[in-house]
Structures are given as C-alpha cells and as structure tokens.
C-alpha cells in the first residue's frame, strides 16, 4: 500500500471516528437484547426509539451496507474502508444498525450482479434502508438437495405470471414482505433449463404461510403455498428459463455468509462484548494457576481458537484476492463447510463447559441464559443442512475446486 493510500485511510478513520461519536446514540453502544434487534420490513417495530434513529442515520450515510454502490443506497466503501468502519464501530461497541438477513447477504448481491438498472433502483435502496424483509423460495417438499427438480409452476399472462405450488424451509416467510423464488416456466426441457428466478410480494391473496417448529423450539422455517399468486414479469432476474444461473450464484453468496466468509474480520458488536470460550470455562469450571483446570478441555478450546483465527485469515485473504469482482467462487463451499463445522464444534465445547445446565428445557432451576444455550446448541444441528448439505459441499469442492472427475 502506497504512502498516499495509507494517509487517505488514516483520514477516513479519523472522520469515521468523529462521525460515529457524534451520531451513535449512547443506548446503541450497549449489548443488544433480542427484543431490540433491528429487523427490517414493513412490520418492523422499535422497542427502543434510538434503534430507529441509529438505523436511519446509518442508512442515510450508506453504512448499513457500506460496500454497495452509493447510487443504490450503499456507502461505496472499499474493502479497507469497510474494515475500518467495523473496527471503529467495535471500538465504541456500536450495535449493528440493520439485520438485513437475506436482503443484504443474498438477494441484494444477486440483484447487483444480474439485475437491470430499474430492478437495482427499485429493490436495493429499500434493502439498505431496512424497508423490506426478504425470504427465499427454493426448496420444495420433493426438491431439497436435488433443487433443480422443483415443480412450482409459473404461467405468463400478459405482464404477470400466475404461480402455483409450494415451498418448504422458507426462513421467516411468516414475517417477510417479498420473496425471491425459483419457478418452473418450461416443463419440456432439461430440468436445469426451464427454471426462472422471480421476485414478488408476499402480501397478496394466494400466498399462505405456516411456521414449522424445530427441535430447538424455535419456528424460523415455514411452509409456503401459492395458489394463483401473482408476480410481475418485470421482476424476473436474469433471463426467463435461465434462472438456474442466478440461483447457483445466490447459493454461493449464501454459503459464504453462513460460513462467515464475507471478509474475515468479525463485525462490530451487535450484542456487545462476548466472553470467550476460555473465560466461560474459567467461570464455570474453575482455574489452576490462572488456567482452565480441565487440561483436555483447555487443549480443545485452544485448538478451536487457533482454527477460528486461521479460518478468519483465510477468508480475509480470499476477500483480498477477489476484490476486483467481489463475487464469490466455488471456494464458498469450503467456507460454508468449515465455518459451519466450527460453529457446531463451539456449541459442543459449550456443552462440555456447561454440563447438565445446558440440557434444560424449562423450569426455574435453569437460567434464561442456560436455556438459550440449549436452544442454540440444538439449532446448530441444522448448520450442515441449510444452504446445501455437507455432502453437497464435498461434491462441489471435489468437482469445482479440486477438478476431480465425476
């Protein structure tokens, strides 16, 4: 990096620090309770008024999605500037202003890459401002890992499609405003060639949503049914019958996000400073000479932390190498595979630390924190399924990364 670039980044850091100090409300510099999580959408509520103030200020600055182009509501920041912003937010423990979910991490990047200028202006700015909550219409009851076998049908009539069929595992569909959906528009061609990628409003007759309760007790997933639902022709992303190309790319964005591979530097404190596994073990198990007393557990925690750091450096290097395109590659499957295994391993280590306290489901003898840990641990069991199963990732890595024969 040249001296002038270094000087420019130093100036950016100073200006960013000053702006954050002036504009971030004090209550937004505290650990975030679940009830104040700033989820977007038409039905968004803000228990703490400062949450909305912080969201609006950051959105006006373009810093809810800082690396998106300014003309679509982003901040237009470089990789280095975005990293400085995260560091400066972490310095004052600023909360994440927007949990954009699939809007910022999946459909937004796909529209940036494949959308028309009209589609970008219509949808991306609303994502940056937190006005729309998105869900994904991919999997069907008989089309999971073999996603291209989907049967949800879309028939064109003038300027709109009529959609019939169903989707399953549609995350947060019960509170989503819009859906990006894979539909079959041609049944007379090979299955990958007759799929179209389309966007449409969930708030309409003909769309029915039923939550699914999981082993964790949560219901983030839903069944979604379409009975003569309508989608405008102008909201097809990419070409008609060529939606598989868009779908695959979006899955790469999803897998990169799930695996934590969006830059290799942890985001600013959304829930405030968290205790490390080591500190948690010291509190729960006790110490000998200032170290976790259980030698085997101490070794496992150390190995996990080292793996976390190595993984972060790897995804950071990948981010640097792909800065010209900013589009994910098939390496996203490696990030997804390793990142989810790390997440599962962390929960298993937490189980060893908490012991039977982390096996409670209800009752006054368990703290709310312990009960949440139980549910979080159970939730990680889905990590190796969502976004493409572990087996699917192994196949992609073997064929597309290592170049092995079919």
């Amino acid at each position: 990096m040249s001296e002038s670039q270094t000087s420019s980044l130093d100036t950016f850091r100073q200006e960013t620090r000053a702006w954050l100090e002036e504009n971030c409300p004090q209550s937004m510099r505290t650990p975030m309770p679940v009830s104040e999580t700033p989820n977007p959408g038409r039905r968004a509520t803000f228990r703490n008024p400062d949450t909305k103030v912080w969201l609006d200020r950051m959105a006006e600055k373009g810093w809810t999605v800082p690396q998106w182009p300014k003309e679509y509501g982003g901040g237009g920041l470089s990789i280095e500037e975005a990293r400085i912003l995260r560091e400066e937010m972490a310095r004052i423990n600023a909360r994440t202003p927007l949990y954009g979910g699939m809007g910022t991490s999946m459909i937004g990047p796909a529209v940036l890459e494949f959308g028309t200028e009209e589609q970008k202006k219509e949808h991306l700015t609303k994502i940056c401002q937190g006005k729309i909550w998105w869900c994904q219409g991919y999997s069907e009851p008989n089309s999971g890992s073999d996603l291209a076998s989907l049967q949800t049908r879309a028939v064109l009539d003038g300027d709109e499609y009529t959609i019939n069929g169903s989707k399953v595992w549609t995350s947060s569909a019960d509170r989503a405003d819009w859906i990006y959906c894979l539909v079959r528009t041609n049944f007379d061609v090979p299955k990958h060639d007759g799929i179209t990628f389309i966007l449409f409003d969930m708030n309409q007759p003909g769309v029915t949503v039923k939550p699914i309760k999981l082993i964790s007790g949560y219901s983030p997933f839903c069944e979604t049914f379409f009975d003569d639902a309508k989608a405008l022709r102008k909201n097809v992303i990419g070409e008609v019958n060529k939606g598989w190309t868009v779908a695959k790319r979006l899955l790469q964005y999803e897998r990169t996000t799930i695996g934590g591979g969006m830059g290799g530097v942890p985001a600013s404190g959304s829930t405030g400073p968290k205790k490390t596994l080591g500190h948690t073990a010291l509190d729960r198990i006790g110490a000998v000479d200032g170290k976790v007393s259980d030698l085997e557990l101490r070794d496992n925690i150390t190995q996990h932390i080292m793996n976390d750091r190595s993984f972060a450096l790897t995804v950071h290097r990948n981010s640097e190498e792909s800065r010209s395109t900013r589009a994910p590659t098939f390496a996203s499957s490696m990030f997804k595979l390793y990142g989810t295994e790390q997440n599962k391993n962390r929960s298993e280590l937490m189980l060893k630390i908490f012991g039977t306290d982390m096996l409670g489901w209800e009752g006054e003898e368990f703290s709310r924190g312990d009960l949440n840990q139980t549910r979080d641990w159970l939730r990680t069991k889905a990590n190796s399924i969502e976004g493409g199963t572990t087996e699917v990732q192994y196949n992609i890595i073997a064929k597309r990364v290592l170049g092995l024969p079919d």
Side-chain angles (χ1 to χ4, degrees), residues 297-316:
L297 179 60
R298 188 169 77 218
D299 182 64
N300 290 337
I301 291 173
T302 301
Q303 187 63 55
H304 181 85
I305 294 172
M306 291 171 63
N307 290 342
D308 259 354
R309 181 57 178 163
S310 297
F311 181 53
L313 291 172
T314 300
V315 295
H316 174 59

Side-chain angles (χ1 to χ4, degrees), residues 212-220 361 374-376 378-379:
I212 302 170
K213 183 167 285 191
L214 305 183
I215 187 175
S216 63
Y218 299 137
S219 301
W361 192 253
T374 302
R375 285 159 171 76
D376 289 346
L378 291 170
R379 174 64 183 82

Side-chain angles (χ1 to χ4, degrees), residues 72-298:
Y72 309 129
L77 301 188
S78 66
I79 293 175
E80 293 83 3
E81 289 170 335
R83 184 178 303 113
I84 288 172
L85 173 60
R86 289 193 295 267
E87 291 171 353
E88 289 302 314
M89 289 178 66
R91 187 185 65 83
I92 63 172
N93 194 33
R95 297 183 186 180
T96 298
L98 172 66
Y99 279 73
M102 297 178 186
T104 57
S105 64
M106 295 163 66
I107 184 58
V111 172
L112 270 172
E113 185 173 353
F114 295 97
T116 64
E117 189 66 18
E118 179 185 1
Q119 290 168 340
K120 292 174 184 178
K121 291 180 177 178
E122 168 68 19
H123 299 292
L124 297 181
T125 300
K126 292 177 181 177
I127 291 173
C128 293
Q129 296 173 346
K131 292 183 176 179
I132 297 294
W133 185 260
W134 288 86
C135 65
Q136 180 185 73
Y138 270 32
S139 296
E140 297 183 3
N142 295 311
S143 300
S145 294
D146 182 18
L147 180 60
S149 66
L150 62 92
Q151 296 296 303
T152 294
R153 176 189 298 264
V155 178
L156 182 63
D157 182 12
D159 289 331
E160 66 180 19
Y161 285 90
T162 298
I163 300 173
N164 286 280
S166 66
K167 299 291 180 178
V168 71
W169 312 121
T170 39
S171 302
S172 302
D174 53 338
R175 55 191 179 92
D177 304 305
W178 276 65
I179 186 171
Y180 56 92
C181 193
L182 295 181
V183 295
R184 187 158 298 284
T185 44
N186 191 337
F187 282 81
D188 299 323
V189 295
K191 61 183 180 181
H192 293 90
D193 296 335
I195 295 171
T196 297
F197 191 109
I198 195 165
L199 321 176
F200 57 93
D201 199 317
M202 292 284 284
N203 184 25
Q204 61 167 297
V207 177
T208 304
V209 178
K210 297 181 179 179
I212 302 170
K213 183 167 285 191
L214 305 183
I215 187 175
S216 63
Y218 299 137
S219 301
F221 297 127
C222 301
E223 295 178 281
T224 308
F225 303 91
F226 308 121
D227 299 291
D228 291 336
K230 305 297 182 181
L232 295 178
R233 184 177 187 174
K234 70 175 186 178
N235 282 324
V236 170
I237 304 297
E239 298 181 45
V240 174
N241 295 325
K242 299 296 182 181
W244 188 245
T245 299
V246 185
K248 288 190 297 181
R249 175 68 86 192
L250 187 140
L251 283 172
Q252 289 178 327
Y253 285 117
E254 178 181 13
R255 289 162 183 164
T256 302
T257 301
I258 291 173
M262 295 303 285
V265 178
S268 58
S270 60
T271 56
K274 293 184 178 180
K275 289 183 178 180
T276 65
L277 282 170
H279 286 120
T280 301
L282 286 171
D283 291 344
R284 287 273 175 169
I285 297 176
V288 174
D289 296 330
K291 301 177 182 179
V292 176
S293 57
D294 187 316
L295 182 60
E296 180 181 3
L297 179 60
R298 188 169 77 218

Side-chain angles (χ1 to χ4, degrees), residues 334-373:
M334 295 192 295
F335 297 145
K336 195 272 180 181
L337 177 64
Y338 194 84
T340 54
E341 288 303 314
Q342 275 293 95
N343 191 44
K344 289 164 60 179
N345 179 252
R346 187 182 193 281
S347 285
E348 293 297 327
L349 288 174
M350 290 293 286
L351 180 60
K352 291 181 179 180
I353 293 170
F354 278 72
T356 56
D357 285 344
M358 201 168 132
L359 296 178
W361 192 253
E362 60 184 10
E364 295 181 356
E365 64 271 30
F366 298 101
S367 71
R368 172 50 54 188
D370 290 348
L371 295 178
N372 287 339
Q373 289 285 358

Side-chain angles (χ1 to χ4, degrees), residues 47 51 63 69 369:
R47 179 169 295 187
T51 304
W63 285 357

